Amino acid sequence: MDGKINILAIDTSCDETAAAVTRGTKILANIIWSQAALHAKFGGVMPALAQRMHRERIDWVIERAIKKSGIKTEEIGAVAVTAGPGLAIALEVGIAKAKELAEKWGKPLLGINHTEGHLLSPLARSKETRDADITSEEIFPAWGVVVSGGHTEIIAADKPGKYTVLAKTSDDALGEALDKAARMLGLGYPGGAILEKMARSGKKSAYPLPLPMARQGTTDWLSYSGLKTAMYRLIGSMGNDLSEQQICDLAASFQNRAFQHLERVVSAQIKKANNTSRRKYLLAGGGVIANIELRRRLRRIAKENNLRLLVPYSLKLTGDNAAMIGVAAAFKTAKLATDFTAIDRLPRWSIEEV
Ligand code: KG4
Ligand code: ZN
């Protein structure tokens, strides 16, 4: 035996109902039931609908995860659940189910921070790999970037559980900004992935969109509202019928500026400390890390600073999922709690408070 326990992990923080079984940083099963199509017609996530769908689907995703993992229910050693940040009434569903199962099985329960899950998602290993788990001693201290529909955070990760947020967005998250630009172009919701696809056939210098906050020189926070307004005005000035090529050019121009803004802040934060820093890795997670162009740009920053970029090995680990919650839990099995009442939903839980 390797001394590791099998963990059943659950995440219902937004619009994905997710369950996974993990062992250390190995993913034995990762089941995600996405509600995105149901929310699409509203152009955003409807919390009450998300809650209802989580309730309908949670048992099914848990059953499938356990079945697919190949382990028996009796072999599960702990339950981990996202306690926050996220939508309060959605979080509640996963927490209640996790408590119910932990109690029934007489196993400990861990409340995990969703942002920490995204941050540590690049450390996940596939079931098939022969590579040994990466240990926290090898990885930390490290830099981290979490970019999703709800987060844009640049993090100094000193060790598991000790994080400082160096910069974050003051308005929209990067994914949210991409989604809104996609909507302005009539590309549907959520639009980050389709915007990326259109951008590949477009010219990024086609339209003069502003680089956010470049004049102020600020590198402690990010803001996408000015870029969004500029995009809105630009599209408004172009009339009703945009050609396919115009849409591709607009997508490429917007994506370029949105990424450049992040790059500028990430670079500045790393450069500020790099001479004195022992950090060797840049960990990158969250839905937007699925984007090939963004990975390319972050890899360039990593190289310039003698760092290695680590991204999740599968696209099923970039968007919301429960496997990353199991991975984060593996680093804190020392904190196993049997007092379930201590775990409650924390809709605005910062990664600095874990
Ligand atoms: O991590 P995630 O599933 O949810 C949150 O925790 O917020 O991230 C979803 C976000 C959405 O904004 C979506 O448009 C974006 O990730 N996204 C992408 C791509 N795939 C998903 N953005 C850019 N390029 C992609 N390929
Ligand atoms: Zn997320």
Side-chain angles (χ1 to χ4, degrees), residues 13 114 118 148 151 319-320 324:
S13 59
H114 181 84
H118 278 306
S148 69
H151 299 274
D320 283 349
M324 67 183 192

Side-chain angles (χ1 to χ4, degrees), residues 87-316:
L87 299 171
I89 61 171
L91 289 164
E92 194 170 286
V93 180
I95 295 172
K97 181 55 70 179
K99 285 184 180 177
E100 177 195 316
L101 293 177
E103 212 152 341
K104 183 164 121 193
W105 298 335
K107 299 295 176 195
L109 179 66
L110 288 147
I112 300 294
N113 181 288
H114 181 84
T115 316
E116 187 180 18
H118 278 306
L119 175 72
L120 302 182
S121 62
L123 307 184
R125 287 277 173 266
S126 91
K127 192 174 171 176
E128 287 80 30
T129 186
R130 285 161 189 252
D131 297 348
D133 285 7
I134 314 183
T135 63
S136 54
E137 288 76 22
E138 286 169 66
I139 294 291
F140 298 98
W143 300 107
V145 177
V146 175
V147 276
S148 69
H151 299 274
T152 312
E153 292 182 20
I154 294 132
I155 298 161
D158 292 338
K159 59 180 185 186
K162 188 167 186 301
Y163 310 110
T164 309
V165 176
L166 303 170
K168 64 179 178 180
T169 179
S170 62
D171 40 58
D172 284 358
L174 175 56
E176 196 179 355
L178 297 173
D179 289 343
K180 286 180 181 162
R183 196 158 71 199
M184 289 180 214
L185 293 171
L187 300 175
Y189 171 88
I194 173 88
L195 196 81
E196 174 185 28
K197 198 164 154 249
M198 304 303 279
R200 276 194 213 128
S201 310
K203 211 166 133 218
K204 62 175 189 274
S205 56
Y207 297 103
L209 288 167
L211 177 60
M213 293 160 60
R215 246 179 299 150
Q216 294 92 318
T218 313
T219 55
D220 296 338
W221 45 279
L222 295 97
S223 166
Y224 284 104
S225 63
L227 177 60
K228 237 174 30 191
T229 309
M231 178 75 163
Y232 185 75
R233 293 218 178 103
L234 175 61
I235 295 173
S237 72
M238 289 171 69
N240 283 335
D241 286 320
L242 295 178
S243 70
E244 174 100 359
Q245 190 55 49
Q246 281 176 315
I247 292 176
C248 291
D249 287 343
L250 284 162
S253 303
F254 186 90
Q255 190 185 261
N256 176 49
R257 284 308 202 200
F259 288 172
Q260 270 182 343
H261 180 33
L262 179 76
E263 285 170 80
R264 199 172 64 82
V265 175
V266 171
S267 271
Q269 288 295 342
I270 292 176
K271 289 215 164 75
K272 231 192 248 181
N274 213 30
N275 291 340
T276 53
S277 158
R278 292 179 297 116
R279 296 170 210 267
K280 292 193 296 248
Y281 291 95
L282 173 58
L283 310 177
V288 189
I289 285 298
N291 190 294
I292 307 285
E293 171 66 16
L294 180 61
R295 288 183 182 202
R296 195 182 62 73
R297 294 180 185 214
L298 289 178
R299 199 165 288 118
R300 191 184 59 209
I301 293 175
K303 207 168 158 209
E304 278 167 16
N305 291 284
N306 259 328
L307 301 165
R308 251 186 78 194
L309 178 72
L310 289 186
V311 297
Y313 75 83
S314 153
L315 287 185
K316 278 183 74 185

